[in-house]
Amino acid sequence: MQCRRTLSVAPSHALNSGVSAYLVEIELTNNSEHAQQIRYEESLLARYVASLDRATSEAQWPVQYTPAITHTPEVGLVACHFQAQPKDPSRQTGNTLASRNDLSPPGIFIQVPGELNVSLTTDVYAAENESPGSGSDKGSGKRLGVRISATIAAGKSIKAYFVIGTASHDKTTDITPIITAVKANKDNIISPFLSEWKKRLPDFAREKNAARRGEMQWNAYVLEAMAIHSEFYSETFIPQGMTYDY
């Protein structure tokens, strides 16, 4: 059995807009001489901690983040939101005010669009985190996952698609643009968003050296892909590496 896992993200078409999510494409190929029944499972840990508190134990965090699960199986969606509660009431601030503590943390979701996985059996779930941790952090957070099962004929392949992104408390992330792009470009082995990225990037047509032209396009793509919108400052910026942003 051969597995190819591809991550893709779509460019924003306008400033401060876009889908805060990425597409996961799983292609499974049966290289045997017999049909195979398979089950693919993938999960991620939904756990929130402020970057300034990473070096301390959870008991020392000034804010406690409590996960809450939303499970909507009819649309293949599972999400984890976080409720923030500062240990010191004086640290409580409004969402529009600057604060050392993040009191409106984003959540995270996994969604398996049924229209992209019509021949597969899919399921999303949430579970307690049972992965070994360190110190008092062991077992904190929730684990979100997706299960995909199918029968693959000898010498044949199947593709499965699901979306991972950030979730807000007051609205559901619209993944319609991702679904539309996949339907229109399912056969593109690189990314279903390739044509959209080409529209966003300079073509450097005057550069005659093909290798240099490709490198310049790649660097332009990286800068565009790294761009982050700050809701607090209402501006878009390019982060300066892990020290400043990651």
Side-chain angles (χ1 to χ4, degrees):
M1 188 67 67
Q2 179 180 338
C3 178
R4 182 171 64 89
R5 181 176 183 270
T6 306
L7 307 182
S8 301
V9 63
S12 299
H13 293 286
L15 190 64
N16 307 340
S17 69
V19 182
S20 184
Y22 62 90
L23 174 72
V24 183
E25 176 188 326
I26 306 296
E27 183 179 36
L28 297 170
T29 302
N30 180 6
N31 292 320
S32 73
E33 298 178 355
H34 307 282
Q36 301 285 343
Q37 290 185 331
I38 61 95
R39 187 179 80 166
Y40 179 93
E41 182 170 343
E42 181 172 330
S43 67
L44 59 87
L45 177 61
R47 179 174 179 269
Y48 191 83
V49 54
S51 59
L52 293 175
D53 299 324
R54 289 296 300 270
T56 62
S57 67
E58 193 166 343
Q60 295 175 294
W61 296 352
V63 179
Q64 180 181 4
Y65 298 102
T66 304
I69 297 296
T70 300
H71 189 198
T72 316
E74 59 268 24
V75 294
L77 173 68
V78 62
C80 181
H81 303 280
F82 296 93
Q83 298 292 336
Q85 182 60 53
K87 295 178 180 178
D88 182 353
S90 66
R91 293 179 180 268
Q92 189 78 45
T93 58
N95 294 343
T96 60
L97 300 177
S99 173
R100 175 197 180 281
N101 307 294
D102 192 348
L103 301 181
S104 300
I108 194 167
F109 75 89
I110 299 179
Q111 187 165 3
V112 185
E115 53 265 61
L116 300 182
N117 301 279
V118 292
S119 60
L120 307 175
T121 300
T122 60
D123 175 43
V124 289
Y125 66 90
E128 298 297 326
N129 176 37
E130 298 178 355
S131 299
S134 58
S136 61
D137 295 344
K138 182 177 181 180
S140 64
K142 299 287 186 180
R143 189 157 289 279
L144 307 183
V146 55
R147 301 185 186 97
I148 299 166
S149 57
T151 299
I152 308 178
K156 299 297 183 179
S157 300
I158 65 164
K159 285 186 178 182
Y161 302 88
F162 56 94
V163 179
I164 298 176
T166 58
S168 61
H169 290 276
D170 56 349
K171 62 180 179 179
T172 302
T173 301
D174 183 10
I175 65 171
T176 302
I178 293 179
I179 296 174
T180 302
V182 173
K183 284 183 175 180
N185 302 280
K186 266 193 172 183
D187 296 329
N188 196 314
I189 194 172
I190 299 176
S191 167
F193 310 118
L194 184 61
S195 59
E196 295 183 45
W197 275 110
K198 284 186 175 181
K199 295 175 184 177
R200 292 287 300 165
L201 300 175
D203 59 10
F204 298 106
R206 295 174 60 185
E207 175 55 62
K208 303 306 179 183
N209 185 303
R212 186 177 298 144
R213 184 169 60 251
E215 182 69 16
M216 292 164 67
Q217 288 176 328
W218 167 252
N219 282 281
Y221 159 75
V222 169
L223 291 175
E224 285 274 359
M226 289 174 65
I228 290 176
H229 175 64
S230 169
E231 188 172 0
F232 181 80
Y233 290 106
S234 189
E235 66 179 13
T236 299
F237 65 97
I238 307 296
Q240 302 181 57
M242 65 180 183
T243 302
Y244 293 90
D245 193 71
Y246 298 146

